[in-house]
Amino acid sequence: MFDPAAGSDTALLFTEQLLVFATVIGSIAALPSFIEFISGVRKRKERIDLSLEDEAVDQLHPRLAGMDELLTSIEDLVDRARFPQAYQELKIGNEVLIIGPSQSGKKSLAQTLAKATGMERLVTVYNPRDSDALAKAKSLVSGYKRKKVMLLLPRIDLAYKSSDPDVLTELDALIESTSERQNVLVVATTVSFEPDSDLDNLFGIKLALPGAEVIGVNRREIPDEVQPEVQQMMADVARFYLAEAKRRGSQVQGMSEDEFCALILADAMNPAEVEDIVVLCETAALFRRRTGRASQLIFTREILNTAIARVVIG
């Protein structure tokens, strides 16, 4: 006689066998995609390993010759990066762009700065056009909460020459987000430099080595019809930041305040450059007082000229 229970068990067993068979077939069909995924992950990791390096600064031994004068001229910048708490009232990004010809020692200079400023880790992104390397670099830098870190971006101009909007957006975000932290110093190197470019506007401090290639020494012209408005706005900006510096104890010496502002406005193209110039003057004045070279916070013509030269190239 027909047993309903036995028939049900047989049907259930057959269904399970079909499901197992279908699963096996599906797994076999998906195997090439899975292998390709695993291979892609491995290649991505290898690419990041080639593009990114995280090393202890005390293990670095840079060889630098012929730059003693430059190192002496940036002692205030080194002191600010080494003792950020002494300059904490000065709001300026910790990003430096080194401009110089190929094989001129830009990377060695950056490593020398890392040692001189007391950095503990050096995170180098050799390929700034690699989005994965940029993301990994941000993760590494963010992970160092108490250690002082230098983020080094050699040949950053290659990323801007590639003109990939997504990569440039990620690169800008990496620099801006990390340079705002007091324990991080962002340093990039470039062979060529164009004034008033995106690269120029991204870095507040520029150090030009002998033989630096500056493309287009003339900065953009302000249309005649808007010049009066722009000049008035820039003059107001210069007076504002000078007033802020005076509030923190600084004073102009050897020239009038109007002359001080006029010299800035003769070179600065936007409010950010005006702010950077004034804050660099404050940095130099504070350094001179910290080292006993001056008893007060003084803005001299020499300090102003140095600050302008660090901000405005071309």
Side-chain angles (χ1 to χ4, degrees), residues 193-252:
F193 177 81
E194 182 178 359
D196 202 29
S197 62
D198 291 338
L199 183 58
D200 182 9
N201 296 329
L202 188 59
F203 285 84
I205 301 173
K206 274 82 71 173
L207 301 178
L209 304 183
E213 179 186 3
V214 179
I215 303 173
V217 295
N218 296 320
R219 314 185 85 193
R220 62 182 172 86
E221 295 290 338
I222 300 175
D224 293 337
E225 59 271 18
V226 298
Q227 272 200 14
E229 297 178 6
V230 173
Q231 290 175 351
Q232 181 61 48
M233 181 268 293
M234 291 288 286
D236 292 341
V237 170
R239 286 192 290 268
F240 171 82
Y241 286 114
L242 177 57
E244 287 292 295
K246 291 175 60 180
R247 181 181 61 81
R248 289 189 283 265
S250 298
Q251 54 184 305
V252 178

Side-chain angles (χ1 to χ4, degrees), residues 234-276:
M234 291 288 286
D236 292 341
V237 170
R239 286 192 290 268
F240 171 82
Y241 286 114
L242 177 57
E244 287 292 295
K246 291 175 60 180
R247 181 181 61 81
R248 289 189 283 265
S250 298
Q251 54 184 305
V252 178
Q253 187 179 81
M255 54 185 156
S256 67
E257 294 182 3
D258 289 340
E259 186 178 2
F260 176 86
C261 293
L263 289 172
I264 294 177
L265 297 177
D267 290 289
M269 283 292 298
N270 52 63
E273 289 185 345
V274 175
E275 180 184 12
D276 289 341

Side-chain angles (χ1 to χ4, degrees), residues 11-302:
L12 181 60
L13 178 60
F14 180 71
T15 301
E16 292 177 347
Q17 290 174 339
L18 284 178
L19 290 175
V20 171
F21 181 74
T23 302
V24 172
I25 295 299
S27 299
I28 294 174
L31 187 59
S33 299
F34 178 72
I35 294 175
E36 183 178 355
F37 172 76
I38 295 298
S39 177
V41 171
R42 179 178 57 81
K43 290 180 179 179
R44 175 175 172 271
K45 183 178 182 303
E46 291 175 351
R47 190 178 70 250
I48 293 176
D49 290 341
L50 289 173
S51 302
L52 188 66
E53 188 173 15
D54 180 12
E55 53 191 331
V57 173
D58 58 8
Q59 299 299 313
L60 300 176
H61 302 285
R63 293 183 297 175
L64 191 66
M67 295 191 188
D68 293 342
E69 184 176 349
L70 173 63
L71 292 173
T72 300
S73 68
I74 60 174
E75 286 180 335
D76 57 326
L77 301 181
V78 172
D79 190 67
R80 191 184 72 183
R82 190 174 184 87
F83 305 103
Q85 65 277 5
Y87 299 83
Q88 59 184 354
E89 289 190 10
L90 307 184
K91 305 300 182 183
I92 187 172
N94 296 320
E95 67 277 340
V96 179
L97 180 65
I98 301 175
I99 312 165
S102 299
Q103 305 298 318
S104 60
K106 298 185 294 296
K107 182 181 176 183
S108 295
L109 175 58
Q111 292 181 345
T112 301
L113 290 177
K115 295 183 75 70
T117 54
M119 297 292 145
E120 298 171 80
R121 304 296 303 182
L122 176 63
V123 177
T124 306
V125 183
Y126 290 102
N127 184 7
R129 295 168 293 183
D130 189 334
S131 298
D132 293 330
L134 295 177
K136 181 65 175 178
K138 183 175 182 179
S139 176
L140 284 173
V141 173
S142 300
Y144 291 120
K145 302 297 184 181
R146 298 182 179 179
K147 292 185 177 180
K148 298 181 67 175
V149 187
M150 174 182 284
L151 173 62
L152 177 58
L153 303 165
R155 288 305 309 271
I156 194 175
D157 50 320
L158 295 178
Y160 283 88
K161 287 180 180 179
S162 67
S163 300
D164 186 331
D166 292 336
V167 172
L168 294 183
T169 300
E170 294 168 358
L171 183 58
D172 292 354
L174 171 64
I175 294 173
E176 291 184 5
S177 63
T178 53
S179 64
E180 293 178 352
R181 299 174 53 185
Q182 285 195 343
N183 67 317
V184 179
L185 177 63
V186 180
V187 177
T189 71
T190 178
V191 169
S192 60
F193 177 81
E194 182 178 359
D196 202 29
S197 62
D198 291 338
L199 183 58
D200 182 9
N201 296 329
L202 188 59
F203 285 84
I205 301 173
K206 274 82 71 173
L207 301 178
L209 304 183
E213 179 186 3
V214 179
I215 303 173
V217 295
N218 296 320
R219 314 185 85 193
R220 62 182 172 86
E221 295 290 338
I222 300 175
D224 293 337
E225 59 271 18
V226 298
Q227 272 200 14
E229 297 178 6
V230 173
Q231 290 175 351
Q232 181 61 48
M233 181 268 293
M234 291 288 286
D236 292 341
V237 170
R239 286 192 290 268
F240 171 82
Y241 286 114
L242 177 57
E244 287 292 295
K246 291 175 60 180
R247 181 181 61 81
R248 289 189 283 265
S250 298
Q251 54 184 305
V252 178
Q253 187 179 81
M255 54 185 156
S256 67
E257 294 182 3
D258 289 340
E259 186 178 2
F260 176 86
C261 293
L263 289 172
I264 294 177
L265 297 177
D267 290 289
M269 283 292 298
N270 52 63
E273 289 185 345
V274 175
E275 180 184 12
D276 289 341
I277 290 171
V278 176
V279 174
L280 283 175
C281 287
E282 289 188 83
T283 300
L286 184 54
F287 171 73
R288 288 170 60 85
R289 191 179 68 176
R290 277 173 48 81
T291 55
R293 304 178 190 183
S295 58
Q296 296 178 315
L297 299 176
I298 302 297
F299 292 171
T300 64
R301 188 179 296 270
E302 178 186 1

